[in-house]
Amino acid sequence: MQSEMKIDLLSIDNKHLFEELCNERKLLQGWREVRKNRGTSGIDGQTIETFELRLSEEIKQLQTELVNWTYKPQPVRRVEIPKPDGAGVRLLGVPCIRDRVVQTAIKQLLEPILDPLFSENSYGFRPGRNQAQAVESAQRIVQSGKGFVVDIDLSKFFDTVNQDRLIGRLGKEIEDKRILKLIGMTLRSGVMKDGKVTPTKEGTTQGSPLSPLLSNLVLDELDKEIESRGLEFCRFADDCNIFVKTERAAERVMKGISEFIEKKLKLAVNREKSQVAESSLVKFLGMTIVKGTRAIARKSIRRAMDKVKELTPRGTSEALEDTIKRINSWYVGWSNYYSMTQYPSQLKVVEAHIRRRLRSRIVDQQKSQRHLFNKLRKRGVSCDKAAKTSFSNDKRWALSHTSAVERAYSNGWFIKTKGLRIRSNEGREHWLELKKWIRLA
């Protein structure tokens, strides 16, 4: 694989990247990736669809502006995304479609040059690499006997990258200074919020097609420093875990690496969120390594339960089928990602919670005990069991977990009749296995 990448590197004329960028074919290639990734409009309001309607004209206009150096990146549109657990907001920037096309084309030119230089322990935003590989690598290191983790959290990494250092680092690998100038213009294009433009003198815009590649270049210095100290680690974007055998060694590494990050890289370490702990207490990409096995982290399970609650609110008049569509839209992606767990019962618990929330809504919609009794009888529950359940004076949540309601609205009924896209059994028996690290509110 490395040899193939070296051949690709040799085939690229590093001194004439700008001419390649101005090629209509390269801009169209950038456009195709932008269209594939979709996304919303920037400050000019232009959408993917409207850009495509004038595709030929737009590409030729970009080409002309680049060649004549009249191209000027527009400020990005500021978007604030709430962080989980109410821990502030994540600042994103949405570039205009035309700027995304140019940035994507630049990324496609630079990636074959820069990616072969990166560490084998870096997994984020790189071709052929993903979160599952990073977690599996962390698992192998822990299994080798290095069960203590130095979990370093970088404070507002994307917003605090030193742009001068970044361009300087990029200049060591990219000979075409025109590309460096264009990237500098992109980094300093500014941010618009509430109609006001603020200059960007530091940081790389989180949301820009170029940002992941540039952030990997910045943090590659960290990777090389960790490797030079003979340490084993896994990094995915700004999420970096270093593994050692003892707590004392971990404390020493935390001190030394934090000093390097702050003094050499000019980045800030979040002391409150950074930690030294056993692997079972550290969350890495939503997962944790428990006794050498991969498990979904406690926080990830709690957030999933909160998401289920959000998708199945009380007192709604929404049709059950519409609720299930929204659940499917979320859960299919969530379960596919977390299927890397070696404890399938964790998925089953979430699925059981989904069904119970849906049964609770069905019970509540009956309005009266008599209506619930009739509904249970109609769905095949015996008269005695239906009566005992319906006239018990239990609340909807308790009723949703009774054998009568579970028989009337079985797992198969949700899947076959209502299209719920989950595949496991009820999952009650799995609570004992999980309760060591899952505590539900």
Side-chain angles (χ1 to χ4, degrees):
M1 180 68 172
Q2 284 283 49
S3 62
E4 291 178 6
M5 298 186 90
K6 287 179 181 177
I7 292 172
D8 290 341
L9 179 59
L10 292 173
S11 68
I12 295 174
D13 187 350
N14 204 330
K15 295 180 180 179
H16 297 90
L17 293 173
F18 185 75
E19 281 81 4
E20 181 67 15
L21 175 66
C22 295
N23 189 300
E24 183 177 346
R25 172 186 54 80
K26 174 53 67 176
L27 292 172
L28 283 170
Q29 185 181 345
W31 153 251
R32 283 191 286 270
E33 186 170 329
V34 170
R35 180 177 57 184
K36 178 182 177 182
N37 293 334
R38 306 300 300 172
T40 60
S41 59
I43 62 170
D44 61 357
Q46 187 178 43
T47 65
I48 294 285
E49 291 75 19
T50 55
F51 189 94
E52 189 166 23
L53 287 174
R54 301 184 65 256
L55 180 59
S56 179
E57 295 91 332
E58 293 283 3
I59 295 297
K60 288 179 180 177
Q61 179 66 28
L62 275 177
Q63 185 181 30
T64 300
E65 291 180 16
L66 287 168
V67 170
N68 296 331
W69 281 98
T70 57
Y71 170 76
K72 183 179 179 181
Q74 299 184 66
V76 299
R77 178 169 62 85
R78 171 63 77 220
V79 176
E80 296 181 355
I81 305 296
K83 291 183 179 180
D85 305 323
V89 295
R90 178 173 286 107
L91 300 179
L92 302 182
V94 182
C96 299
I97 303 298
R98 67 195 316 268
D99 292 335
R100 295 215 293 268
V101 170
V102 174
Q103 292 173 32
T104 301
I106 294 174
K107 184 205 75 171
Q108 292 169 343
L109 284 171
L110 299 190
E111 194 167 62
I113 299 172
L114 300 178
D115 192 78
L117 307 175
F118 296 155
S119 168
E120 287 296 315
N121 301 297
S122 166
Y123 293 89
F125 309 115
R126 297 183 61 189
R129 289 170 172 258
N130 55 43
Q131 291 98 324
Q133 292 170 340
V135 172
E136 288 167 4
S137 178
Q139 179 186 13
R140 287 192 296 271
I141 298 172
V142 172
Q143 288 173 338
S144 74
K146 298 182 177 180
F148 280 88
V149 182
V150 179
D151 182 18
I152 299 178
D153 185 90
L154 299 179
S155 180
K156 299 181 179 179
F157 166 69
F158 286 93
D159 302 320
T160 59
V161 167
N162 186 298
Q163 294 180 357
D164 291 335
R165 288 196 81 256
L166 169 56
I167 295 296
R169 176 73 180 85
L170 194 58
K172 293 179 181 180
E173 311 299 339
I174 305 302
E175 298 180 52
D176 194 331
K177 305 305 179 186
R178 295 167 295 178
I179 290 291
L180 301 183
K181 179 181 178 181
L182 198 54
I183 291 174
M185 290 168 55
T186 298
L187 292 174
R188 295 186 291 271
S189 62
V191 172
M192 178 178 283
K193 182 182 179 183
D194 300 327
K196 182 180 178 180
V197 176
T198 304
T200 45
K201 298 180 180 179
E202 61 179 3
T204 65
T205 301
Q206 194 170 1
S208 158
L210 258 178
S211 188
L213 180 63
L214 298 180
S215 66
N216 270 333
L217 182 67
V218 171
L219 292 175
D220 187 60
E221 289 188 70
L222 173 61
D223 297 342
K224 297 299 192 291
E225 177 67 18
I226 297 173
E227 289 172 346
S228 72
R229 300 185 185 203
L231 299 169
E232 292 192 84
F233 71 101
C234 294
R235 182 176 66 79
F236 192 98
D238 59 334
D239 198 347
C240 182
N241 282 356
I242 307 170
F243 301 85
V244 294
K245 289 184 177 181
T246 66
E247 185 174 7
R248 184 176 178 182
E251 295 285 1
R252 186 172 63 250
V253 170
M254 172 67 84
K255 183 176 183 297
I257 296 299
S258 294
E259 288 179 356
F260 174 83
I261 290 172
E262 293 181 332
K263 293 180 179 179
K264 184 69 183 293
L265 301 185
K266 309 298 183 184
L267 297 170
V269 174
N270 189 325
R271 306 286 178 176
E272 293 182 1
K273 292 186 178 180
S274 298
Q275 62 174 327
V276 166
E278 293 185 24
S279 65
S280 61
L281 301 176
V282 175
K283 180 170 72 74
F284 181 52
L285 300 176
M287 304 292 291
T288 189
I289 309 301
V290 181
K291 295 182 178 179
T293 60
R294 301 186 304 275
I296 305 174
R298 282 177 291 185
K299 282 187 177 180
S300 301
I301 291 287
R302 292 193 196 111
R303 288 173 185 169
M305 294 300 193
D306 290 341
K307 184 65 176 180
V308 172
K309 186 176 181 180
E310 175 191 323
L311 293 171
T312 56
R314 292 191 175 194
T316 180
S317 59
E318 182 180 53
L320 186 63
E321 291 79 3
D322 293 335
T323 298
I324 287 175
K325 284 180 183 178
R326 291 192 295 114
I327 291 172
N328 287 340
S329 179
W330 164 74
Y331 185 71
V332 169
W334 188 90
S335 60
N336 283 342
Y337 177 82
Y338 284 105
S339 62
M340 71 176 89
T341 179
Q342 291 179 296
Y343 296 85
S345 52
Q346 292 185 294
L347 299 177
K348 293 179 180 179
V349 166
V350 176
E351 292 174 357
H353 192 58
I354 291 172
R355 288 188 293 263
R356 187 171 181 184
R357 293 281 302 184
L358 294 175
R359 290 183 183 118
S360 176
R361 174 186 292 188
I362 292 172
V363 169
D364 186 59
Q365 288 175 340
Q366 304 314 309
K367 303 302 181 183
S368 71
Q369 294 174 320
R370 172 60 63 181
H371 285 163
L372 178 59
F373 171 79
N374 292 335
K375 184 69 74 172
L376 294 178
R377 288 290 293 129
K378 190 175 295 185
R379 296 207 50 80
V381 178
S382 68
C383 185
D384 288 345
K385 184 172 287 189
K388 183 178 179 181
T389 301
S390 302
F391 302 107
S392 66
N393 291 324
D394 286 338
K395 301 297 183 182
R396 55 180 279 180
W397 187 244
L399 291 173
S400 69
H401 204 37
T402 59
S403 59
V405 172
E406 288 178 352
R407 176 176 177 176
Y409 302 98
S410 66
N411 301 349
W413 181 81
F414 281 112
I415 295 170
K416 296 175 182 177
T417 306
K418 299 299 178 181
L420 187 62
R421 295 177 64 183
I422 55 180
R423 57 198 177 282
S424 73
N425 295 322
E426 188 63 41
R428 277 193 234 168
E429 68 277 12
H430 303 292
W431 280 103
L432 288 178
E433 181 185 347
L434 295 170
K435 72 176 184 178
K436 285 184 282 186
W437 68 83
I438 301 176
R439 293 181 181 179
L440 303 179

